[in-house]
Short mmCIF file of all heavy atoms in Angstrom, two decimals:
data_model
loop_
_atom_site.label_atom_id
_atom_site.label_comp_id
_atom_site.label_asym_id
_atom_site.label_seq_id
_atom_site.Cartn_x
_atom_site.Cartn_y
_atom_site.Cartn_z
N ASP A 1 0.82 -1.22 0.02
CA ASP A 1 0.00 0.02 0.01
C ASP A 1 0.85 1.27 -0.03
O ASP A 1 0.60 2.20 -0.71
CB ASP A 1 -0.91 0.01 1.23
CG ASP A 1 -2.12 -0.90 1.13
OD1 ASP A 1 -2.42 -1.39 0.00
OD2 ASP A 1 -2.76 -1.16 2.15
N ALA A 2 1.89 1.27 0.80
CA ALA A 2 2.77 2.43 0.91
C ALA A 2 3.44 2.67 -0.45
O ALA A 2 3.59 3.84 -0.88
CB ALA A 2 3.85 2.23 1.98
N LEU A 3 3.91 1.60 -1.12
CA LEU A 3 4.49 1.74 -2.44
C LEU A 3 3.50 2.30 -3.47
O LEU A 3 3.86 3.25 -4.21
CB LEU A 3 5.01 0.40 -2.94
CG LEU A 3 6.30 -0.14 -2.37
CD1 LEU A 3 6.49 -1.66 -2.78
CD2 LEU A 3 7.44 0.66 -2.76
N SER A 4 2.30 1.85 -3.43
CA SER A 4 1.26 2.29 -4.34
C SER A 4 0.94 3.78 -4.10
O SER A 4 0.85 4.55 -5.02
CB SER A 4 -0.01 1.51 -4.20
OG SER A 4 0.20 0.15 -4.57
N HIS A 5 0.83 4.14 -2.84
CA HIS A 5 0.51 5.55 -2.54
C HIS A 5 1.68 6.46 -2.91
O HIS A 5 1.46 7.56 -3.46
CB HIS A 5 0.21 5.71 -1.03
CG HIS A 5 -1.12 5.14 -0.62
ND1 HIS A 5 -1.23 4.17 0.29
CD2 HIS A 5 -2.37 5.40 -1.10
CE1 HIS A 5 -2.53 3.83 0.42
NE2 HIS A 5 -3.23 4.57 -0.39
N ALA A 6 2.88 6.07 -2.59
CA ALA A 6 4.02 6.92 -2.94
C ALA A 6 4.12 7.10 -4.45
O ALA A 6 4.37 8.19 -4.96
CB ALA A 6 5.33 6.32 -2.37
N LYS A 7 3.94 6.04 -5.23
CA LYS A 7 4.04 6.10 -6.68
C LYS A 7 2.86 6.97 -7.23
O LYS A 7 3.08 7.76 -8.13
CB LYS A 7 3.92 4.70 -7.28
CG LYS A 7 4.42 4.62 -8.66
CD LYS A 7 5.86 5.02 -8.70
CE LYS A 7 6.57 4.58 -9.98
NZ LYS A 7 7.86 5.16 -10.10
N TYR A 8 1.69 6.83 -6.63
CA TYR A 8 0.53 7.66 -7.07
C TYR A 8 0.79 9.16 -6.77
O TYR A 8 0.60 9.97 -7.73
CB TYR A 8 -0.71 7.22 -6.34
CG TYR A 8 -1.90 8.07 -6.57
CD1 TYR A 8 -2.64 7.97 -7.77
CD2 TYR A 8 -2.32 9.02 -5.67
CE1 TYR A 8 -3.75 8.80 -7.98
CE2 TYR A 8 -3.40 9.86 -5.90
CZ TYR A 8 -4.09 9.74 -7.09
OH TYR A 8 -5.19 10.55 -7.31
N PHE A 9 1.23 9.47 -5.61
CA PHE A 9 1.53 10.87 -5.29
C PHE A 9 2.63 11.43 -6.15
O PHE A 9 2.56 12.62 -6.56
CB PHE A 9 1.82 11.05 -3.78
CG PHE A 9 0.61 10.88 -2.91
CD1 PHE A 9 0.66 10.05 -1.80
CD2 PHE A 9 -0.57 11.52 -3.16
CE1 PHE A 9 -0.41 9.84 -1.01
CE2 PHE A 9 -1.67 11.32 -2.34
CZ PHE A 9 -1.57 10.48 -1.27
N GLN A 10 3.64 10.65 -6.40
CA GLN A 10 4.73 11.11 -7.30
C GLN A 10 4.23 11.40 -8.68
O GLN A 10 4.54 12.46 -9.28
CB GLN A 10 5.87 10.05 -7.34
CG GLN A 10 7.13 10.44 -8.04
CD GLN A 10 7.11 10.19 -9.55
OE1 GLN A 10 6.41 9.31 -10.00
NE2 GLN A 10 7.79 11.02 -10.26
N SER A 11 3.39 10.52 -9.21
CA SER A 11 2.89 10.75 -10.55
C SER A 11 1.97 11.96 -10.59
O SER A 11 1.96 12.74 -11.53
CB SER A 11 2.21 9.53 -11.12
OG SER A 11 1.00 9.25 -10.41
N LYS A 12 1.14 12.13 -9.56
CA LYS A 12 0.25 13.29 -9.54
C LYS A 12 0.99 14.61 -9.41
O LYS A 12 0.63 15.62 -10.03
CB LYS A 12 -0.77 13.17 -8.38
CG LYS A 12 -1.85 12.12 -8.69
CD LYS A 12 -2.61 12.52 -9.92
CE LYS A 12 -3.55 11.45 -10.35
NZ LYS A 12 -4.18 11.74 -11.64
N CYS A 13 2.07 14.56 -8.65
CA CYS A 13 2.89 15.80 -8.50
C CYS A 13 3.49 16.14 -9.87
O CYS A 13 3.55 17.33 -10.26
CB CYS A 13 3.99 15.58 -7.46
SG CYS A 13 3.37 15.60 -5.77
N CYS A 14 3.98 15.10 -10.59
CA CYS A 14 4.58 15.36 -11.89
C CYS A 14 3.59 15.89 -12.85
O CYS A 14 3.83 16.88 -13.60
CB CYS A 14 5.16 14.03 -12.35
SG CYS A 14 6.04 14.20 -13.96
N GLU A 15 2.39 15.33 -12.91
CA GLU A 15 1.34 15.76 -13.81
C GLU A 15 0.97 17.22 -13.46
O GLU A 15 0.77 18.08 -14.34
CB GLU A 15 0.08 14.88 -13.66
CG GLU A 15 0.21 13.56 -14.25
CD GLU A 15 -1.03 12.69 -13.97
OE1 GLU A 15 -2.12 13.27 -13.68
OE2 GLU A 15 -0.87 11.47 -14.03
N THR A 16 0.80 17.49 -12.20
CA THR A 16 0.40 18.83 -11.73
C THR A 16 1.49 19.89 -12.05
O THR A 16 1.19 20.96 -12.54
CB THR A 16 0.10 18.85 -10.23
OG1 THR A 16 -0.96 17.89 -9.99
CG2 THR A 16 -0.37 20.21 -9.75
N ALA A 17 2.71 19.55 -11.79
CA ALA A 17 3.80 20.49 -12.08
C ALA A 17 3.89 20.84 -13.54
O ALA A 17 4.21 21.97 -13.89
CB ALA A 17 5.15 19.89 -11.58
N ASN A 18 3.63 19.84 -14.39
CA ASN A 18 3.66 20.10 -15.82
C ASN A 18 2.58 21.01 -16.30
O ASN A 18 2.71 21.62 -17.37
CB ASN A 18 3.57 18.79 -16.61
CG ASN A 18 4.83 17.99 -16.53
OD1 ASN A 18 5.91 18.50 -16.32
ND2 ASN A 18 4.70 16.63 -16.63
N GLN A 19 1.55 21.20 -15.52
CA GLN A 19 0.47 22.11 -15.89
C GLN A 19 0.55 23.49 -15.27
O GLN A 19 -0.22 24.39 -15.60
CB GLN A 19 -0.89 21.48 -15.44
CG GLN A 19 -1.19 20.20 -16.19
CD GLN A 19 -2.42 19.54 -15.63
OE1 GLN A 19 -3.16 20.10 -14.85
NE2 GLN A 19 -2.69 18.32 -16.11
N MET A 20 1.53 23.70 -14.41
CA MET A 20 1.64 25.00 -13.66
C MET A 20 2.44 26.00 -14.47
O MET A 20 3.36 25.66 -15.19
CB MET A 20 2.34 24.73 -12.32
CG MET A 20 1.50 23.87 -11.41
SD MET A 20 2.27 23.78 -9.77
CE MET A 20 0.80 23.62 -8.79
N GLN A 21 2.05 27.26 -14.26
CA GLN A 21 2.74 28.39 -14.88
C GLN A 21 3.69 29.09 -13.97
O GLN A 21 4.71 29.61 -14.36
CB GLN A 21 1.66 29.37 -15.44
CG GLN A 21 0.66 28.79 -16.44
CD GLN A 21 1.37 28.26 -17.69
OE1 GLN A 21 2.26 28.83 -18.17
NE2 GLN A 21 0.89 27.06 -18.13
N ASP A 22 3.31 29.15 -12.71
CA ASP A 22 4.12 29.84 -11.70
C ASP A 22 5.42 29.04 -11.41
O ASP A 22 5.33 27.90 -10.95
CB ASP A 22 3.34 30.00 -10.38
CG ASP A 22 4.08 30.80 -9.29
OD1 ASP A 22 5.27 30.52 -9.11
OD2 ASP A 22 3.44 31.65 -8.68
N PRO A 23 6.57 29.58 -11.77
CA PRO A 23 7.81 28.80 -11.59
C PRO A 23 8.13 28.39 -10.13
O PRO A 23 8.63 27.30 -9.92
CB PRO A 23 8.92 29.72 -12.14
CG PRO A 23 8.29 31.02 -12.46
CD PRO A 23 6.79 30.91 -12.29
N GLN A 24 7.83 29.26 -9.18
CA GLN A 24 8.12 28.90 -7.78
C GLN A 24 7.22 27.76 -7.31
O GLN A 24 7.66 26.81 -6.67
CB GLN A 24 7.92 30.09 -6.90
CG GLN A 24 9.01 31.15 -7.04
CD GLN A 24 8.78 32.32 -6.10
OE1 GLN A 24 7.69 32.81 -5.98
NE2 GLN A 24 9.91 32.81 -5.53
N LEU A 25 5.95 27.86 -7.64
CA LEU A 25 4.99 26.79 -7.25
C LEU A 25 5.28 25.46 -7.99
O LEU A 25 5.30 24.41 -7.37
CB LEU A 25 3.57 27.26 -7.58
CG LEU A 25 2.44 26.41 -6.99
CD1 LEU A 25 2.58 26.19 -5.53
CD2 LEU A 25 1.09 27.04 -7.29
N LYS A 26 5.66 25.61 -9.25
CA LYS A 26 6.01 24.46 -10.03
C LYS A 26 7.24 23.74 -9.42
O LYS A 26 7.27 22.50 -9.27
CB LYS A 26 6.31 24.87 -11.47
CG LYS A 26 6.67 23.69 -12.40
CD LYS A 26 6.85 24.15 -13.82
CE LYS A 26 7.09 22.93 -14.70
NZ LYS A 26 7.04 23.22 -16.13
N SER A 27 8.19 24.55 -9.02
CA SER A 27 9.42 23.96 -8.40
C SER A 27 9.08 23.25 -7.09
O SER A 27 9.58 22.17 -6.85
CB SER A 27 10.42 25.09 -8.13
OG SER A 27 11.55 24.57 -7.48
N TYR A 28 8.19 23.83 -6.31
CA TYR A 28 7.80 23.23 -5.05
C TYR A 28 7.10 21.90 -5.29
O TYR A 28 7.38 20.90 -4.58
CB TYR A 28 6.89 24.23 -4.29
CG TYR A 28 6.44 23.63 -2.95
CD1 TYR A 28 7.31 23.53 -1.87
CD2 TYR A 28 5.11 23.18 -2.79
CE1 TYR A 28 6.90 22.99 -0.70
CE2 TYR A 28 4.69 22.66 -1.62
CZ TYR A 28 5.55 22.54 -0.54
OH TYR A 28 5.14 22.01 0.65
#
């Protein structure tokens, strides 16, 4: 479960960062 959750959150962060315009927020 922990592996699945970590992989899911990592992929969602990557997807979200790719859609962001603000460089500071994207970096975070």
Side-chain angles (χ1 to χ4, degrees):
D1 283 346
L3 284 169
S4 295
H5 287 122
K7 199 63 164 169
Y8 173 79
F9 288 130
Q10 187 272 330
S11 68
K12 286 301 171 184
C13 287
C14 183
E15 289 175 22
T16 302
N18 287 334
Q19 297 174 7
M20 295 185 148
Q21 302 299 319
D22 184 316
Q24 288 179 318
L25 190 54
K26 182 176 184 168
S27 175
Y28 180 73

